[in-house]
Amino acid sequence: MLRLIKWPALLRAAVVVCILFQFTPAEPWAQSVETDSPFLPTRLTESIDIDGFVNDPAWEEVAPLPLVMYEPVFRGDLSERTDIRIAYDDQYLYLGANLYDSNPAGIRANSMYRDLYSGDDTVSLILDTFNDRQNGLWFFTNPNGIRADMAISNDLEGIGGSPFGTVINSSWNTFWDVATQVTDMGWSVEMRIPFTSLGFQAEQGVVEMGFSVSRQITRKNETYIYPAIPPNWNLAYAKPSQLGRIQLRDVHAGRPVYITPYVSGGGSTEANLVEDESRYEHQSRWTGDIGGDVKYNLTNNLTLDLTVNTDFAQAEADDEQVNLTRFSLFFPEKRRFFQERAGIFDFRTSGRFDRLFNTRQIGLYEGETVPIYGGLRLVGRVGNWDVGAINMQTAAAHGNPSENFGIYRLRKQIFNPNSYVGSMVTTRIASNGYWNIVYGLDSQIKVGNREYLEFKWAQVFDEAFPDISLRNNSFARARIERRTEIGLSYILSSTWGGPNFEPGMGFVSRTGFIQPLIVFGYGWFASEASRVLSMRPRVVLTQFRRDSDRSIESGAYWFSWFLSMKSGAYHTFELQARTEDILEAIEFPEDTEVPIGKYNFYNLGWEYMAQNGRLLRVDGAASVGSFYDGTNVEIQAEPTWNLSRHLELGATYQFNRVRFPDRGQAFFVHIARIRTQIGFSTQASINAFLQYNTASDVVSANIRFRYNFREGNDLWIVYNEGRNTDRLSNDPELPFLDGRRVLMKYTYTFIR
C-alpha cells in the first residue's frame, strides 16, 4: 500500500485543495474582536503598597476590565465575579485583581515554586513589549504569590500542535514583584513590573505594546480574558499576533547595570579504571570557583550580557530516554543563560528537532561538562530589526581542544508584522585548526488571513570537506502553510539536505535526503450540550528519500484525532504506518539488532492528559503495533499528587516490550522517574529527581535546594549521585557507586 503513493499526483491534488481554501466553511468567530483603538490605562498619581490587598485609594480611580469567558464556552456567562485593573506610573506597570470565589475552599494553590505551574488558579498578564506581534512576555501568579514568568516566541506557533517546550521558554526570568491574599471571599493580587525589566520602543513619547490579561479557575476549567480573543488557536489569548494594544505615555525604561557574581565550592567522587584496566577505584577531589555575569541595556530593548567562568551547576538533570530509532536523541536546553530571548536564534531545518543552532553544543560533550571561559550575548530589537549575537569560548576538555562558538542573527519585518526576512551565521573554530562555518537565509511571508509562505536556505563550510559543493553542503526548504485550529489547516513542504550538510553547532539527524511533507487538518467546536469542547482530525504524509538515487529511506503516514474536553482533559488517538529501508543493522539493548532490509510496520496509539484542576491526576499514553519485523508495546503513566501547597509528588513510568519472534530476540526497557517537590515557602524549596533506566542500567539522583532571598540573589545546594545496577556483566566488574557530587553556589545581584 505504501508503495502505491504517487507523490507528484498527490501534491497536485493537495495544491488544488489549498487554492480553494477560501470556500471552507466560515469560522464561528472573526479573527479578532478587539477594537481598533488601543487600551489607555490609568496613570497613577498616588503610590500603591504591594501587599496583595487591592484597597489603596489609587485603585479606586482605575476601572476594571470587561472580561469575557474564553473557555469552555467562548463569550459564555462568567460564573465568578472577577475585577482586574491595569495602571501605571513613571516607573512601573501595575495589575490589581479581586478574584471572588463562591467556594473559597476549592481554590487551587498547589505550587510554591518560582516558574512552576501545577494545576493552580492563576492570574496572568501577557505583553508584546517589542510590539512586533511575534514575541511576548508572560507574567502570572497563583494564590500562593509565586513569581512565574516566561518568554513567548514565533507567535506561539509550536510543533505538532503543542507550543510548550518549543516557543514558550519558562526559564526566562526578570525582576518584578507580586503579592497575594486569600480571604473568605476568594483571593486578590497586586503585581508591579518595573519598566527596566521590559524592552520597548517609544515614538514621540508613546509606547504601544500588545497585551492581554486572564484568570484561570482550574477546578471548573474556566478562563476569563481581556480583550475578547476567540479560541481559534491553541492558547489564543497568549498569541502575540492576536493580542490587544495598550498605550503608555511618557515612560522610560532606564538602563540599569545588573552585576551578578557567584562563588561555588564542593566535592566529588568518581569511579575510574586503574592504569592496567583490571579494576575501578574511586577518586575524590574538592573544587572551588568564582565567576559572574553582567547585564546592561544598551537601549530600551537591546540587552548586552557578559559572562566570565560561566557555571550551570544548578541546572536540572536531563530526563532518561529510550532510543528506538537509529538516530541520536535530542535533549532540551535547561541552562538559563541560553534561554533568554532564545526564539530569535530559532532556525529549524527538517524533522522535529533538527536545527542550525543547538545550544547544547556549547559547554557539553557526551553528557559531560566542558568549562566555559566566558562570552557575551546581545539580543533585542532595533527598529524593525531583530538582533542576536552569542560568542563563547570553551576550555580544552575530554580530549577536545579549546573552541570558540559564534552565532549571529538578523531578522527584519517586511510587508506586515507576521512577515520577515532573516539571516544566521554560526562559526565553530577549534585551537587544533578545525573549523566549521554555516550561513543561513530564511523568510516568512504572510499572504492571506491564515496563509504563510516560508523559504529557507543554508550552506556549510567545513575543514573536513575542502571541496565546497553547492549540492552536497547545502540545505533548502519551501513551505506553504495555513495556520489555524478551527477550520481547514494544511502544510505543503519540500525539504532537501545534502550529504555533507552537517552544521557544527546544529543538531542534524540525517543527511543526503529529499523530504516531501503534506499535512491536512480540520478543527471545529462541538455543541454547547456536548462534553467535548473541540475536535481536530489530522492526516500527515511524509517521506525521506535518498538524494543519491531517490529511493525511500523512511516514510511515515498517520491519522490522528485530537479531542479537547470541557473538563480540561485531552485525548489524542493515532493510527500510524511507517516504512524503513535500512542499509546498516540497528543495535538495540540485550544484544538485539534489526538486520539490513526494508520494513513496513503499523502502530495504534492513544494519549491522555488529565484535567489540571485535580489534586491527584494521571496522564497516560499507550501504543501497540508492529516494529520492523517484530512487535512493540509501549505504556506510559505520569501520576501527580498535590498533597498540599507545600508538597507535590510526581512520577513517570515507561515500559517498552519489543519482540522479534522470527529471530528469537527480545528486549524490555523500563524507565522510572520520581519527583518530589517540597516548598517551604515561595523562597525556600527542595526538588528531588530520582531516575532508573534498565537500558543503561543506572540509577541516578539529582537533589537541588534553593533559597531565593530575592530576584538575582540565590543560594543553591546540589547533590548528584549515580549507581550501577548491572555490575557483574562487565569486565572488570563495575563499582556500585558510579559517581557522587555535592556543590554549594551563591549568587548576588548588584543593581547600578
Side-chain angles (χ1 to χ4, degrees):
M1 171 184 169
L2 302 179
R3 289 191 291 267
L4 295 179
I5 293 180
K6 305 296 184 181
W7 284 97
L10 191 56
L11 280 168
R12 286 195 295 269
V15 170
V16 171
V17 173
C18 295
I19 292 174
L20 298 176
F21 70 86
Q22 61 266 36
F23 296 108
T24 58
E27 295 174 358
W29 302 289
Q31 178 177 351
S32 177
V33 291
E34 61 170 302
T35 64
D36 294 332
S37 301
F39 170 66
L40 303 177
T42 301
R43 186 167 191 136
L44 301 176
T45 56
E46 299 181 68
S47 62
I48 288 180
D49 181 23
I50 304 299
D51 58 6
F53 290 109
V54 190
N55 57 5
D56 296 273
W59 282 121
E60 297 178 2
E61 301 177 7
V62 183
L65 296 170
L67 276 68
V68 301
M69 180 176 283
Y70 175 79
E71 62 180 7
V73 179
F74 183 60
R75 290 190 175 277
D77 294 332
L78 276 59
S79 67
E80 302 290 351
R81 179 184 169 189
T82 303
D83 293 338
I84 299 180
R85 305 160 194 248
I86 299 291
Y88 73 106
D89 60 19
D90 292 343
Q91 294 180 294
Y92 302 99
L93 183 66
Y94 297 88
L95 180 147
N98 285 313
L99 310 157
Y100 299 91
D101 200 305
S102 56
N103 178 22
I107 293 173
R108 296 290 186 258
N110 302 329
S111 175
M112 298 284 286
Y113 302 91
R114 181 84 158 89
D115 293 327
L116 178 64
Y117 174 76
S118 188
D120 311 83
D121 289 2
T122 62
V123 166
S124 300
L125 171 63
I126 299 170
L127 299 170
D128 172 11
T129 58
F130 284 173
N131 202 31
D132 62 1
R133 293 174 170 82
Q134 288 290 306
N135 299 282
L137 304 178
W138 190 337
F139 302 87
F140 71 88
T141 191
N142 69 359
N144 292 329
I146 66 166
R147 281 177 299 149
D149 40 22
M150 305 182 293
I152 301 167
S153 61
N154 197 34
D155 197 26
L156 210 61
E157 291 293 336
I159 304 298
S162 176
F164 294 100
T166 59
V167 290
I168 292 184
N169 174 11
S170 60
S171 294
W172 176 81
N173 282 341
T174 193
F175 292 80
W176 57 292
D177 299 298
V178 66
T180 60
Q181 298 289 341
V182 179
T183 68
D184 56 3
M185 298 182 64
W187 61 293
S188 57
V189 178
E190 286 184 315
M191 284 186 191
R192 181 176 63 190
I193 305 172
F195 292 130
T196 54
S197 296
L198 304 175
F200 54 75
Q201 297 183 112
E203 295 185 6
Q204 297 180 345
V206 177
V207 174
E208 184 166 301
M209 299 184 286
F211 96 110
S212 73
V213 299
S214 63
R215 176 192 184 181
Q216 188 175 30
I217 308 174
T218 57
R219 75 179 187 276
K220 298 183 175 184
N221 191 38
E222 291 184 357
T223 301
Y224 311 152
I225 65 170
Y226 178 85
I229 302 169
N232 293 341
W233 302 267
N234 194 3
L235 294 176
Y237 61 89
K239 192 175 174 66
S241 64
Q242 303 305 307
L243 299 181
R245 301 291 111 187
I246 184 173
Q247 275 191 3
L248 312 175
R249 297 181 181 274
D250 299 320
V251 296
H252 304 281
R255 300 178 188 176
V257 179
Y258 300 92
I259 304 172
T260 308
Y262 79 84
V263 58
S264 67
S268 63
T269 300
E270 294 183 355
N272 297 306
L273 275 171
V274 299
E275 188 173 345
D276 62 3
E277 298 187 354
S278 61
R279 60 185 175 83
Y280 286 86
E281 68 176 20
H282 288 99
Q283 297 178 342
S284 300
R285 65 188 182 99
W286 294 93
T287 60
D289 223 341
I290 60 173
D293 303 321
V294 177
K295 180 189 293 289
Y296 175 62
N297 293 329
L298 299 176
T299 68
N300 284 350
N301 53 3
L302 187 63
T303 303
L304 174 66
D305 290 90
L306 303 175
T307 178
V308 177
N309 203 19
T310 314
D311 180 82
F312 303 113
Q314 71 272 25
E316 186 182 56
D318 289 322
D319 289 352
E320 290 284 341
Q321 300 184 38
V322 56
N323 191 356
L324 297 182
T325 74
R326 61 180 189 271
F327 306 110
S328 300
L329 291 173
F330 178 84
F331 291 90
E333 180 61 79
K334 296 186 177 182
R335 298 169 297 174
R336 184 163 294 164
F337 180 84
F338 296 108
Q339 298 273 3
E340 186 169 350
R341 299 289 189 185
I344 191 175
F345 298 103
D346 185 53
F347 195 116
R348 302 298 176 93
T349 54
S350 63
R352 183 178 182 185
F353 301 115
D354 290 27
R355 59 200 64 198
L356 212 61
F357 171 45
N358 177 25
T359 54
R360 290 178 67 99
Q361 295 284 355
I362 304 175
L364 292 171
Y365 177 73
E366 295 185 352
E368 297 292 332
T369 300
V370 176
I372 299 176
Y373 290 135
L376 62 85
R377 178 185 57 201
L378 178 70
V379 291
R381 189 170 178 82
V382 180
N384 290 329
W385 290 86
D386 292 312
V387 178
I390 297 175
N391 192 281
M392 308 287 289
Q393 184 72 40
T394 62
H398 313 298
N400 285 338
S402 176
E403 294 184 284
N404 180 269
F405 299 84
I407 311 94
Y408 311 98
R409 179 69 154 143
L410 285 173
R411 192 169 60 190
K412 186 181 188 301
Q413 279 188 352
I414 58 173
F415 305 141
N416 55 63
N418 300 106
S419 300
Y420 66 82
V421 294
S423 63
M424 176 181 279
V425 175
T426 69
T427 62
R428 183 170 187 170
I429 303 172
S431 59
N432 65 356
Y434 170 78
W435 53 267
N436 179 285
I437 298 174
V438 183
Y439 78 90
L441 305 172
D442 63 334
S443 66
Q444 173 181 281
I445 310 297
K446 186 177 182 181
V447 294
N449 194 27
R450 300 280 193 276
E451 292 66 45
Y452 292 81
L453 297 175
E454 180 190 274
F455 302 96
K456 290 188 176 182
W457 169 268
Q459 188 174 12
V460 172
F461 301 90
D462 193 291
E463 182 264 344
F465 304 107
D467 297 329
I468 299 173
S469 168
L470 191 66
R471 179 175 183 83
N472 292 337
N473 296 42
S474 303
F475 159 86
R477 185 170 83 182
R479 169 181 290 196
I480 180 173
E481 180 177 2
R482 188 169 200 263
R483 300 176 182 174
T484 184
E485 296 187 15
I486 303 301
L488 175 68
S489 63
Y490 61 77
I491 298 174
L492 299 178
S493 174
S494 181
T495 305
W496 159 67
N500 296 335
F501 181 73
E502 298 183 22
M505 295 187 62
F507 181 86
V508 174
S509 55
R510 68 176 91 207
T511 58
F513 66 89
I514 298 173
Q515 182 203 12
L517 169 69
I518 297 176
V519 180
F520 279 104
Y522 195 92
W524 68 93
F525 287 95
S527 67
E528 290 193 17
S530 174
R531 297 171 61 185
V532 176
L533 176 62
S534 64
M535 291 171 277
R536 190 168 66 251
R538 190 171 66 154
V539 177
V540 179
L541 307 171
T542 188
Q543 291 179 345
F544 285 91
R545 292 179 173 267
R546 297 183 179 93
D547 185 46
S548 57
D549 59 6
R550 302 297 192 270
S551 61
I552 295 178
E553 181 181 41
S554 301
Y557 321 91
W558 69 84
F559 171 78
S560 64
W561 191 287
F562 174 80
L563 292 176
S564 172
M565 313 301 292
K566 288 180 179 174
S567 66
Y570 299 90
H571 296 269
T572 302
F573 302 91
E574 186 172 273
L575 175 62
Q576 183 179 129
R578 290 178 55 193
T579 182
E580 294 286 346
D581 183 18
I582 59 176
L583 304 181
E584 295 182 4
I586 306 175
E587 296 183 356
F588 289 120
E590 306 294 337
D591 297 323
T592 303
E593 69 173 29
V594 176
I596 295 171
K598 189 170 185 178
Y599 302 88
N600 296 324
F601 47 102
Y602 307 87
N603 183 274
L604 180 65
W606 165 75
E607 185 175 351
Y608 171 74
M609 182 177 291
Q611 177 188 355
N612 273 327
R614 296 179 179 177
L615 298 179
L616 175 61
R617 52 196 182 276
V618 181
D619 299 338
S623 65
V624 60
S626 50
F627 183 70
Y628 293 94
D629 57 339
T631 61
N632 178 31
V633 176
E634 179 176 328
I635 298 173
Q636 180 170 313
E638 296 187 29
T640 302
W641 187 14
N642 293 103
L643 285 84
S644 75
R645 66 175 185 165
H646 298 286
L647 178 60
E648 176 178 299
L649 300 178
T652 299
Y653 174 69
Q654 180 180 339
F655 165 73
N656 284 86
R657 186 197 68 181
V658 179
R659 292 179 175 178
F660 303 101
D662 293 343
R663 293 183 278 112
Q665 294 182 333
F667 67 90
F668 301 83
V669 177
H670 303 265
I671 293 180
R673 308 185 193 102
I674 298 175
R675 295 179 187 270
T676 302
Q677 300 187 92
I678 304 172
F680 304 103
S681 68
T682 56
Q683 294 176 297
S685 62
I686 293 177
N687 186 315
F689 186 22
L690 180 68
Q691 299 187 85
Y692 175 50
N693 185 345
T694 60
S696 57
D697 297 311
V698 170
V699 174
S700 61
N702 174 229
I703 302 173
R704 300 178 302 149
F705 169 81
R706 180 188 186 187
Y707 191 87
N708 176 229
F709 299 90
R710 62 176 179 83
E711 184 62 33
N713 184 197
D714 291 288
L715 172 66
W716 290 90
I717 300 175
V718 182
Y719 178 85
N720 291 299
E721 183 170 313
R723 299 275 178 169
N724 295 304
T725 60
D726 186 15
R727 304 165 55 201
L728 303 180
S729 62
N730 292 270
D731 186 21
E733 178 181 315
L734 293 173
F736 184 44
L737 176 65
D738 184 60
R740 176 187 295 132
R741 186 184 186 194
V742 180
L743 174 91
M744 179 179 293
K745 180 179 178 180
Y746 178 74
T747 65
Y748 187 91
T749 298
F750 299 90
I751 304 176
R752 294 289 181 265

